[in-house]
Amino acid sequence: MRIDISGHQIDVTPALRDYVQDKLARVARHFDHHLDVRVILSVDKLDQKAEATLSTPGKTLHAEAVAPDMYAAIDLLADKLDRLVIKQKEKMTDHHRGESAARSDSFG
């Protein structure tokens, strides 16, 4: 998994960088394929925003989260990405299972 972290109107400290990498490691466990993630951390007045674009083979997923604290925004972002990846993986596996189950039912 390759993570590209950048800041928009914010300096990305080593602590923030490590926190993002730790949180997104959970997302990588759901996929066997190589993932590219681009994370942008930004500040808009009082809101801290974290957004990520995750490139998987055949699909690009995007999520963003806004919170009063950057660490909370990163937590929310990791949760959203986790749900998106699980949902995408289920779509891929359910589609193939559904075809074989339909075939076996029609012949049986």
Side-chain angles (χ1 to χ4, degrees), residues 61-92:
L61 306 173
H62 181 79
E64 60 183 54
V66 177
D69 178 31
M70 185 56 78
Y71 290 97
I74 294 168
D75 287 341
L76 289 171
L77 177 70
D79 291 341
K80 286 182 180 182
L81 277 177
D82 202 30
R83 286 193 304 265
L84 282 173
V85 166
I86 290 170
K87 187 176 179 180
Q88 177 63 26
K89 192 171 180 182
E90 285 174 356
K91 280 183 182 180
M92 289 168 49

Side-chain angles (χ1 to χ4, degrees), residues 27-35 57 85 89:
V27 174
R29 285 185 287 175
H30 296 295
F31 254 94
D32 302 332
H33 307 292
H34 176 73
L35 299 175
V85 166
K89 192 171 180 182

Side-chain angles (χ1 to χ4, degrees), residues 12-26:
V12 180
T13 63
L16 274 175
R17 188 173 301 277
D18 290 342
Y19 194 76
V20 170
Q21 289 175 346
D22 289 343
K23 287 295 181 176
L24 294 184
R26 185 179 70 190

Side-chain angles (χ1 to χ4, degrees), residues 4 25 39 55 60 87 91 95 105:
D4 180 28
V39 179
S55 299
T60 300
K87 187 176 179 180
K91 280 183 182 180
H95 179 70
D105 289 342

